[in-house]
Amino acid sequence: MSEKRPLEGLRVLDFSHVLAGPFATRVLGDMGADVVKINSASRAVGANDPTHPYYLMWNRNKRALALDMANPESRPLCRALCEQADVVIDNFSVGVLDRWGVGYDAVSAVNPGVIYVQMSGMGDGGPWSKYVTYAPTIHALAGLTHMTGVPGREDIGIGFSYNDHQAGLHGAFAILAALASRQTSGRGQRVDVSQFEVGVNFAGPSLLDFFATGTKARPCGNALPYDLAAPHNVYPCLAAENPSVAEQRWIAIACMTDEQWASLKRLMGNPQWSEQAQFDGVEDRVAAAGEIDARIALWTSTQEAYVLMKACQDAGVPAGVVQDGVDLAERDPQLKAVNFLEKMADVSPVLGQTWVDHLPIHFSRTPCNGYRRVRELGEDNAAVLEDWLGLSPSEIDAAAQQGALK
Amino acid sequence: MTAATDNNGSGGAEPVFELFLIGLSSHMLRVEWNKEGVMAEFNGALCKVRVLDLTDERGIYGAKLLADLGADVVRPEPPGGDPLRQRGPHAEQAGAEMTSLWFAFFGTNRRFFTLDTNTQSGLQQLTELAQNAQIILTCDHALGVDLLDWETLQAANKSQVVINTSSFGSKGPWKDFLAPDLVAGALGGVAATTGDVDTPPLKGFGELNFMVSGIYGAIAALAALYDARERGEGQRADISVHETLVSCLEHVLMFYWYSQQMMRPDNVLPRQGATHWSMAYTVMKGQNGSIMVTPTPDFDNQLAWLIEEDAHDDLIDPMYMEPENLGLRIERTMTLLAKWIADKDVEPLFHEAQQRHCPYGQVLPVEAVADNPQLAARQWYQPYRVGDMSLQSPGAPYHFSETPWSLGVLGRPGQDTRQILEDINWGQR
């Protein structure tokens, strides 16, 4: 593992769970921060269970400390850890850490440099502040479900927890911005991240459009909602006979310029239908998109997707195979060229082989290519308490005897 | 210090909107008028960080994030204006060209510089802008990027941070592939999981894919800045849009790698509308709209509610409590919920569910999001001047207790050129 990743020496105390918060701290850990993940035997179920695949995805490069916050004996240790942290992060409902005596006011009083990040669903304040959210909740409330789909439907939306990832990334960015501020001012601060507000932010241009012109954004399939480009869609390719949904093959083709349309026509052999003068201009192509899409689909449906993609790209036409998880893991030559997906070298003694998708940031001087496996519950208790608090083995044993470390 | 000219011609009639940039010898200090008309220093978290923004759609969101936190972000434009000012949606303004609201969103808080890279002086100006920046954000082949001598720049400014975003990185068989947002999402695994069985794979509305690469660029910039300040050395970082998307696919790689542990027969989950991979979240049709419904995280809590309303049918059968029957319990619960919700008005249902700690979410169109009581209570929407229009604008995705987020006036093409030339002492040597 690299000794000088960009965040080496930064201490992050991580109370977060599920995806958004753990993804934020995964990014920090990948860049070298010493992320100490707090968990407990009573909470380590479902997505918080260190053996659950969901947990495995978001919690590499962290050290595991078990603290039973229901046990009063754990509270002094928790406060002491907060005192040593550069960053404290949680995504509990507002007020939980206050009840544990480690709310922002208490921590900043003894650690004025702390960056204290709360990533709740709705933020601290407002009539919905206690509302419970997961990514699908946020997608629905933020307009993302309504807008992503085909005309006439509002029950499609984004097919994965986009906003959880983005909330995590925005949380990591906010932490780094607060650290940059601390480097010049010496002061820490509290950061309130509302996952709802992160989500609404993604509808930014559409909201400005509504405020400026009253236009209400509506789903438009794979067309561009505001700009002219055609053809611009996803088309079927050669697949097994009567394929299941998972077996279907598709290719995205996006002609962003008239030149790209001309190139596509040449690639198709300049069929007679495409040579109609009314298709020369993009406005007319957009108006006739249904007809053009149907013609192109007939052409693509007999061709192997990757071969067709290569032919399009060689001709200067933007095109890409619709890749699923198997494609990404087994076939994608671009990911292979950078070894983006790989087996975790640090094999788990409990789980055996696990896997890694790399941090997608390639630093020239401080590369972040080191990955430590997800740790078992409390696996790093002794090391963390010694490193952060200077506790001796006997003091750590005493804490364990009191039931604090489980 | 010299105040830049009022860039919107309003003469300061609405001072709360006004934001000026005052040039200092080594950095820019952003100052805004408060409601009493008194100038107050805007201390954003990134105040005094100088950034050169040479991005296109793939990276411009990252530059926006830095600018909105107070960094002095200079964005050069070719004569005639930034091509991204042509992106829709547009608003028509009397006596003016159509205004890009896309650019109004992504181009916040910049200083705009007209740069003619076809002239020797333009190239020299570009070089000096680059020399003066602490952070340079670039995208492959964006304005000026291919013209700069990067090795010389790095040698002259050891602490400089350069973040480059490309579609596929600098090596590999696809490095020269063209990938607008639709194509990027297809290759990156996003489209395969979005859409329904009776639709093609779909892209997210707008620019959702490039907003992922954008924020990764901003993260890389600040991580490298932190390191440069700690250790005195800057560096370059490369970001591939493709890799950023693959890193944010939630269940997709999990299903491939851990299908056995997930007890799934297949390692790919095909697109299935709004239904979550766990099958325990989906959008259901009610009266007056649709609602995202889930019995998680506490199935017993949801069951108790159904029992209260006598809508539980056979769900109290002990069979459903057996761990091995969790899938069956989810399936049966979702079937009964769909039937139960069909007759319910979704808005009161949403609030009642939340009172019961059930994480339902009403499916809201953009006009309802614009009028949302939670956002209003948090004063989330901010006043924003775009040309002659005073608009409401989306606010900050985060709230800093000590260093506020701020929104200024959208700049006109090249409006800050003279001031920026003064900042770099252009013409005085």
Side-chain angles (χ1 to χ4, degrees):
Chain A
M1 189 174 288
S2 168
E3 292 300 316
K4 289 191 175 179
R5 289 174 291 170
L7 302 183
E8 277 313 307
L10 189 74
R11 285 177 165 176
V12 179
L13 194 58
D14 180 8
F15 291 94
S16 69
H17 56 286
V18 191
L19 204 174
F23 196 61
T25 53
R26 184 183 104 163
V27 170
L28 301 178
D30 287 351
M31 293 192 292
D34 180 12
V35 179
V36 171
K37 169 97 176 174
I38 306 294
N39 204 346
S40 67
S42 60
R43 289 183 51 79
V45 295
N48 293 322
D49 177 349
T51 67
H52 193 290
Y54 210 68
Y55 191 100
L56 295 177
M57 294 296 295
W58 324 122
N59 290 291
R60 74 215 187 180
N61 280 340
K62 302 175 187 179
R63 296 202 283 177
L65 177 64
L67 270 189
D68 179 10
M69 296 306 292
N71 183 341
E73 301 294 339
S74 72
R75 305 284 170 87
L77 287 175
C78 186
R79 283 193 289 273
L81 290 162
C82 287
E83 198 170 336
Q84 296 301 317
D86 294 292
V87 178
V88 174
I89 179 170
D90 84 87
N91 57 350
F92 289 114
S93 299
V94 172
V96 171
L97 264 64
D98 288 288
R99 290 200 293 277
W100 292 349
V102 289
Y104 175 65
D105 290 343
V107 173
S108 62
V110 295
N111 180 2
V114 72
I115 312 297
Y116 194 102
V117 182
Q118 292 181 285
M119 295 182 59
S120 59
M122 288 289 165
D124 186 4
W128 294 5
S129 66
K130 295 196 184 320
Y131 279 16
V132 186
T133 68
Y134 289 86
T137 320
I138 299 294
H139 291 177
L141 294 172
L144 301 174
T145 300
H146 191 270
M147 291 193 294
T148 294
V150 294
R153 289 181 64 175
E154 58 180 27
D155 62 344
I156 296 179
I158 305 166
F160 60 102
S161 292
Y162 176 86
N163 203 70
D164 270 351
H165 286 285
Q166 278 283 27
L169 293 171
H170 282 72
F173 172 75
I175 288 167
L176 292 167
L179 283 167
S181 178
R182 191 182 77 172
Q183 282 178 311
T184 57
S185 72
R187 297 192 303 272
Q189 57 182 313
R190 176 172 180 255
V191 185
D192 173 22
V193 180
S194 155
Q195 296 181 41
F196 178 47
E197 290 166 356
V198 171
V200 176
N201 169 63
F202 300 124
S206 300
L207 285 161
L208 279 177
D209 192 26
F210 177 73
F211 287 127
T213 71
T215 303
K216 300 169 183 174
R218 290 294 180 264
C220 56
N222 284 317
L224 294 179
Y226 303 110
D227 297 302
L228 296 176
H232 190 279
N233 210 335
V234 173
Y235 305 93
C237 287
L238 190 63
E241 198 170 337
N242 298 317
S244 66
V245 175
E247 290 169 336
Q248 295 168 358
R249 299 303 330 198
W250 299 83
I251 189 169
I253 298 176
C255 288
M256 309 302 289
T257 65
D258 289 341
E259 291 74 23
Q260 290 170 353
W261 164 240
S263 297
L264 181 62
K265 283 198 300 181
R266 279 195 296 277
L267 196 61
M268 292 189 293
N270 292 312
Q272 192 174 1
W273 68 265
S274 70
E275 293 294 340
Q276 300 173 66
Q278 68 261 35
F279 293 160
D280 288 347
V282 68
E283 291 89 351
D284 293 325
R285 288 201 302 279
V286 169
E291 179 188 349
I292 294 174
D293 284 345
R295 300 272 194 181
I296 292 176
L298 283 175
W299 176 69
T300 59
S301 62
T302 60
Q303 303 191 60
E304 198 280 328
Y306 285 89
V307 173
L308 178 57
M309 171 177 71
K310 180 72 165 52
C312 286
Q313 289 282 354
D314 286 349
V317 177
V321 175
V322 173
Q323 296 201 112
D324 61 22
V326 174
D327 297 323
L328 295 171
E330 297 180 3
R331 189 158 187 178
D332 186 318
Q334 189 63 28
L335 296 178
K336 281 192 197 312
V338 294
N339 209 23
F340 188 71
L341 307 174
E342 66 172 345
K343 290 179 177 176
M344 177 77 80
D346 181 11
V347 175
S348 166
V350 174
L351 302 171
Q353 187 65 63
T354 58
W355 284 266
V356 172
D357 55 309
H358 279 211
L359 176 75
I361 302 173
H362 301 270
F363 291 104
S364 61
R365 186 173 55 75
T366 61
C368 299
N369 296 324
Y371 296 94
R372 294 182 69 188
R373 65 173 168 81
V374 170
R375 313 287 283 176
E376 296 165 43
L377 180 69
E379 186 173 353
D380 302 300
N381 282 356
V384 169
L385 294 174
E386 182 184 350
D387 292 350
W388 281 41
L389 303 182
L391 295 191
S392 66
S394 60
E395 289 171 314
I396 294 167
D397 281 347
Q401 291 295 323
Q402 291 167 337
L405 305 178
K406 63 179 185 182
Chain B
M1 294 195 302
T2 306
T5 54
D6 182 352
N7 57 41
N8 58 31
S10 68
E14 296 180 67
V16 71
F17 296 143
E18 302 303 316
L19 181 143
F20 294 83
L21 294 155
I22 295 181
L24 299 178
S25 58
S26 62
H27 65 267
M28 299 301 295
L29 175 66
R30 209 156 73 204
V31 173
E32 61 184 357
W33 298 100
N34 62 22
K35 288 180 179 174
E36 288 73 44
V38 177
M39 282 208 303
E41 185 176 340
F42 169 57
N43 291 314
L46 303 178
C47 183
K48 303 177 185 178
V49 175
R50 300 185 306 279
V51 180
L52 181 60
D53 174 10
L54 302 176
T55 62
D56 60 22
E57 289 103 325
R58 295 168 292 183
I60 193 171
Y61 183 62
K64 167 187 168 64
L65 294 175
L66 299 178
D68 292 350
L69 289 181
D72 175 19
V73 183
V74 171
R75 183 171 175 86
E77 307 181 78
D82 192 326
L84 295 182
R85 290 182 186 270
Q86 304 302 314
R87 293 287 312 271
H90 296 97
E92 193 169 1
Q93 298 194 65
E97 293 183 7
M98 297 289 273
T99 298
S100 167
L101 298 170
W102 188 96
F103 193 80
F105 179 75
F106 287 101
T108 46
N109 288 325
R110 306 300 207 288
R111 292 203 293 163
F112 293 106
F113 184 94
T114 296
L115 183 73
D116 186 352
T117 54
N118 293 315
T119 67
Q120 198 56 41
S121 65
L123 291 174
Q124 185 61 28
Q125 288 165 354
L126 174 64
T127 299
E128 295 199 18
L129 287 171
Q131 287 169 338
N132 276 274
Q134 292 167 283
I135 296 171
I136 305 178
L137 298 180
T138 68
C139 290
D140 265 9
H141 313 308
L143 178 68
V145 173
D146 296 336
L147 303 172
L148 284 165
D149 180 347
W150 292 103
E151 285 187 13
T152 303
L153 276 173
Q154 189 180 23
N157 188 351
K158 295 283 190 192
S159 63
Q160 190 170 69
V161 168
V162 178
I163 310 297
N164 183 61
T165 300
S166 61
S167 296
F168 295 96
S170 59
K171 63 179 181 179
W174 295 355
K175 67 181 175 60
D176 296 321
F177 275 17
L178 303 171
D181 195 87
L182 175 71
V183 173
L187 284 167
V190 174
T193 192
T194 300
D196 209 343
V197 293
D198 56 351
T199 76
L202 295 173
K203 79 187 289 291
F205 189 94
E207 221 85 40
L208 296 184
N209 295 319
F210 290 155
M211 290 171 101
V212 176
S213 54
I215 187 156
Y216 265 116
I219 287 170
L222 292 190
L225 178 70
Y226 177 84
D227 179 69
R229 284 174 166 176
E230 293 288 312
R231 299 177 176 87
E233 278 190 80
Q235 60 182 317
R236 179 185 174 92
D238 290 310
I239 290 172
S240 141
V241 174
H242 188 49
E243 293 172 20
T244 65
L245 296 179
V246 175
S247 79
C248 291
L249 292 174
E250 200 200 8
H251 62 278
V252 172
L253 292 172
M254 178 181 76
F255 265 55
Y256 178 78
W257 285 329
Y258 303 110
S259 58
Q260 282 189 326
Q261 291 95 317
M262 300 289 292
M263 292 183 288
R264 299 275 182 169
D266 301 314
N267 52 12
V268 170
L269 183 72
R271 63 191 185 280
Q272 51 182 18
T275 303
H276 187 252
W277 61 265
S278 66
M279 310 302 284
Y281 304 73
T282 199
V283 170
M284 296 178 178
K285 186 86 175 153
Q287 296 297 307
N288 304 314
S290 301
I291 187 165
M292 197 293 298
V293 175
T294 178
T296 64
D298 185 347
F299 277 71
D300 292 340
N301 182 34
Q302 177 67 76
L303 177 59
W305 190 5
L306 290 174
I307 291 171
E308 271 181 51
E309 302 220 359
D310 197 24
H312 58 289
D313 202 78
D314 64 343
L315 267 182
I316 55 174
D317 188 325
M319 165 186 77
Y320 291 115
M321 307 304 158
E322 300 297 330
E324 66 269 24
N325 288 334
L326 177 61
L328 197 60
R329 185 182 190 188
I330 291 171
E331 183 181 345
R332 184 64 180 147
T333 302
M334 299 305 273
T335 299
L336 292 174
L337 283 172
K339 185 177 170 188
W340 176 63
I341 281 166
D343 294 328
K344 290 191 174 293
D345 189 327
V346 294
E347 184 172 359
L349 176 67
F350 160 57
H351 293 294
E352 182 174 0
Q354 287 288 350
Q355 295 303 324
R356 293 169 178 266
H357 305 293
C358 297
Y360 289 18
Q362 187 179 357
V363 176
L364 296 177
V366 70
E367 60 271 24
V369 178
D371 191 33
N372 180 276
Q374 172 68 9
L375 298 172
R378 285 169 60 84
Q379 299 181 304
W380 191 68
Y381 290 108
Q382 296 288 306
Y384 186 28
R385 177 68 62 83
V386 178
D388 291 333
M389 295 181 293
S390 294
L391 302 177
Q392 292 292 296
S393 169
Y398 21 60
H399 300 266
F400 292 77
S401 62
E402 306 300 322
T403 55
W405 184 93
S406 175
L407 194 57
V409 176
L410 178 66
R412 296 190 313 271
Q415 69 167 33
D416 304 302
T417 302
R418 178 177 299 178
Q419 181 63 57
I420 294 167
L421 289 173
E422 285 182 22
D423 293 343
I424 61 174
N425 295 319
W426 180 261
Q428 295 180 20
R429 284 150 296 162

